[in-house]
Amino acid sequence: MTATKIIPTHDEWIQNLDLKGFGREIRELGNKLRENQGAADVEHLDKMLRWNYLFTFVGVLTLWMQPNPITVVCLSTALFSRWTMIGHHTCHGGYDNTKAAERGFHRKIFAVGSLARRALDWFDWMLPEAWNIEHGRLHHYSLNEDNDPDLVEKNATWMRSAPVPKLFKYVVVLFFAFTWKWTYYSSNTYSQLLFTNKMREMNSISEQMKELKDDSPKEKLLAEKKDRHVVTIFKIFDRELPSWWSTTGFLRDVVLPFLIYRFIITPLPFYFIFGPSGFNNAMVNLLLADLLTNVHSFIAVVPNHAGEDLYYFEDHCEPKSDEFFLRQVIGSVDFSAGSNPVDFFHGFLNYQIEHHLWPDLSMLSYQRAHPLVKDICKKYNVPFVQHNVFYRVYKTVQIFVGENSMRQFDASLLKART
């Protein structure tokens, strides 16, 4: 006698899901949104750029003053919005099919190809080419799988299982919140770029060694990748670095250019205008702004796919398939949304579900799509998770410290239905 499978209440919706119908409507909506992009999307981009320039201008204009909240918040918000809104959506191709592309807002031009383009378009602690690989390719097309480089539950395995007091774990999370671009994102994105380049080099070798596949250099590299899933800045000091890593390249190409620009070139004019005190004030304001923008971006970015009410996937699925669209919804969360001011301070990352469904759309398109995607999900009884961002931070921290775990997606229920 075959035992009846007990299905958790939170998974019952999967049994009755019309996956093909859901996928068809999501695909049709994406095509419609893409076709309707045009002048309004460029106007919206320009408005967000003006807001970004305003924060930058106020921050730089008051940089010489004694450390104060206005300067720090403006500098922090300027750096935050340049990445999460302008750099993020442009590097995904959100404006490739608009007039903005003629001004350089195109994924093949914006911030890539040279230090000059990086400095002009999006200067930050991450190398744009590395971020494009780590985020745009690996994260987006392996969402909440083991190959997702930003899977919080896997990346925090060491802390979740550490035999230390919970209070210590919370302190560690707080430390990373203030430093995560320095200690995690700069190095991990660069590691993913180096690994990808190494794999490309290995392809020809692998083809020549098919008969030795299990012992080929490519297979060894893939096995090493599983053990070296995350490369934080601390790996440099404890020498636990993967074979493809280059500390020299990391310092030369990633860290030093922005460090010199941010903390030497930017404050230096204030030394000649206001003397040592002006320079020192500028340095402190810049450092405080960097700490604040780390926290701001941590709050807006890290909780996007973490929480015990979101799903982890054991296997991979075909990109842009019906199941792929489903995974983007049930593996992501939206925050409060609907107006430009609210969306601006979320970096337009509050439309994470819509963004993962169609990464190559504009910020305005996500505003338009939000209620429509919710309606489709409601029609097909697909969970659409939307909460206040600070509530999601709480849920994410619970994953970090091991208090909760992600839901395991039972693909057999979906396959049984289809």
Side-chain angles (χ1 to χ4, degrees):
M1 179 181 253
T2 304
T4 302
K5 184 174 183 177
I6 299 176
I7 302 172
T9 303
H10 60 248
D11 284 345
E12 290 178 352
W13 64 272
I14 304 174
Q15 297 181 99
N16 303 312
L17 174 63
D18 177 6
L19 181 61
K20 290 184 178 179
F22 174 79
R24 182 185 65 253
E25 292 203 32
I26 290 293
R27 193 173 288 107
E28 290 173 352
L29 177 57
N31 291 336
K32 184 178 179 180
L33 291 165
R34 196 170 291 108
E35 291 169 1
N36 288 336
Q37 287 202 166
D41 299 87
V42 177
E43 290 174 7
H44 182 264
L45 170 64
D46 287 337
K47 177 185 286 188
M48 297 301 100
L49 281 167
R50 288 193 295 271
W51 292 12
N52 173 262
Y53 295 148
L54 177 62
F55 280 103
T56 303
F57 179 76
V58 174
V60 172
L61 194 65
T62 61
L63 191 56
W64 61 276
M65 296 180 178
Q66 287 190 348
N68 64 90
I70 293 177
T71 302
V72 171
V73 169
C74 285
L75 290 170
S76 170
T77 305
L79 192 59
F80 167 82
S81 57
R82 193 70 191 184
W83 166 30
T84 59
M85 294 170 50
I86 314 304
H88 182 202
H89 296 93
T90 301
C91 288
H92 270 295
Y95 299 95
D96 285 5
N97 64 343
T98 70
K99 290 289 185 180
E102 299 173 4
R103 294 156 40 198
F105 293 94
H106 190 286
R107 74 175 86 193
K108 294 183 179 179
I109 299 173
F110 191 88
V112 298
S114 69
L115 179 58
R117 288 280 355 169
R118 181 185 175 193
L120 176 67
D121 295 330
W122 169 33
F123 219 176
D124 210 324
W125 292 104
M126 300 82 69
L127 184 68
E129 290 89 343
W131 182 86
N132 287 342
I133 293 292
E134 191 269 359
H135 175 84
R137 184 184 303 177
L138 299 176
H139 167 64
H140 266 267
Y141 294 96
S142 302
L143 178 65
N144 288 1
E145 303 170 13
D146 282 339
N147 286 329
D148 182 353
D150 295 326
L151 181 58
V152 171
E153 185 168 290
K154 182 173 182 179
N155 290 352
T157 298
W158 63 275
M159 183 163 61
R160 287 167 56 83
S161 59
V164 296
K166 279 289 192 297
L167 179 60
F168 177 78
K169 294 184 178 183
Y170 287 121
V171 172
V172 171
V173 174
L174 186 63
F175 167 79
F176 276 109
F178 276 95
T179 66
W180 79 294
K181 286 202 290 183
W182 311 335
T183 55
Y184 164 74
Y185 221 25
S186 60
S187 55
N188 202 47
T189 52
Y190 187 62
S191 176
Q192 300 297 335
L193 173 65
L194 294 183
F195 174 78
T196 300
N197 291 341
K198 189 69 174 178
M199 286 294 291
R200 287 171 180 164
E201 294 174 10
M202 295 297 243
N203 279 337
S204 60
I205 299 176
S206 180
E207 287 300 314
Q208 297 169 27
M209 301 182 67
K210 284 182 178 178
E211 69 280 4
L212 301 174
K213 183 177 180 182
D214 291 337
D215 197 36
S216 71
K218 187 175 180 180
E219 292 302 313
K220 289 181 178 179
L221 197 68
L222 288 169
E224 183 184 4
K225 179 66 163 55
K226 291 182 180 180
D227 294 332
R228 307 292 189 190
H229 180 72
V230 179
V231 177
T232 66
I233 199 77
F234 303 108
K235 300 290 185 182
I236 297 175
F237 301 102
D238 62 21
R239 299 181 182 276
E240 293 185 9
L241 293 166
S243 60
W244 57 83
W245 178 262
S246 169
T247 299
T248 301
F250 175 63
L251 294 174
R252 181 192 64 229
D253 299 333
V254 184
V255 175
L256 286 179
F258 185 69
L259 181 69
I260 293 170
Y261 161 77
R262 189 72 170 175
F263 292 103
I264 297 178
I265 296 176
T266 300
L268 190 59
F270 297 97
Y271 177 86
F272 297 105
I273 299 172
F274 300 103
S277 63
F279 178 83
N280 292 336
N281 287 339
M283 286 286 287
V284 174
N285 278 319
L286 286 167
L287 179 59
L288 292 175
D290 228 78
L291 289 167
L292 181 59
T293 201
N294 265 287
V295 175
H296 191 175
S297 57
F298 184 93
I299 291 170
V301 175
V302 179
N304 292 155
H305 310 285
E308 88 291 344
D309 51 354
L310 300 181
Y311 285 87
Y312 159 79
F313 309 102
E314 291 185 336
D315 58 355
H316 188 63
C317 73
E318 186 68 22
K320 299 184 179 181
S321 63
D322 296 337
E323 184 176 346
F324 174 85
F325 288 131
L326 175 66
R327 290 186 178 197
Q328 307 318 299
V329 176
I330 63 176
S332 307
V333 59
D334 277 9
F335 306 142
S336 303
S339 68
N340 283 329
V342 169
D343 297 345
F344 181 88
F345 285 102
H346 283 86
F348 273 77
L349 301 179
N350 45 341
Y351 299 104
Q352 199 64 200
I353 292 173
E354 294 79 5
H355 174 60
H356 265 259
L357 288 171
W358 316 287
D360 59 342
L361 294 183
S362 70
M363 291 179 278
L364 182 60
S365 287
Y366 297 134
Q367 282 185 335
R368 295 166 173 159
H370 181 65
L372 303 176
V373 174
K374 291 182 77 171
D375 287 344
I376 293 174
C377 290
K378 183 177 181 181
K379 176 180 177 180
Y380 288 92
N381 199 30
V382 171
F384 185 103
V385 181
Q386 181 177 17
H387 292 129
N388 177 278
V389 65
F390 295 106
Y391 180 60
R392 296 310 306 186
V393 169
Y394 165 76
K395 284 183 171 289
T396 300
V397 172
Q398 297 307 99
I399 297 293
F400 263 111
V401 302
E403 282 293 311
N404 285 319
S405 299
M406 305 280 285
R407 289 180 182 174
Q408 296 279 328
F409 183 69
D410 190 346
S412 66
L413 297 177
L414 195 62
K415 292 171 183 176
R417 169 67 181 173
T418 56

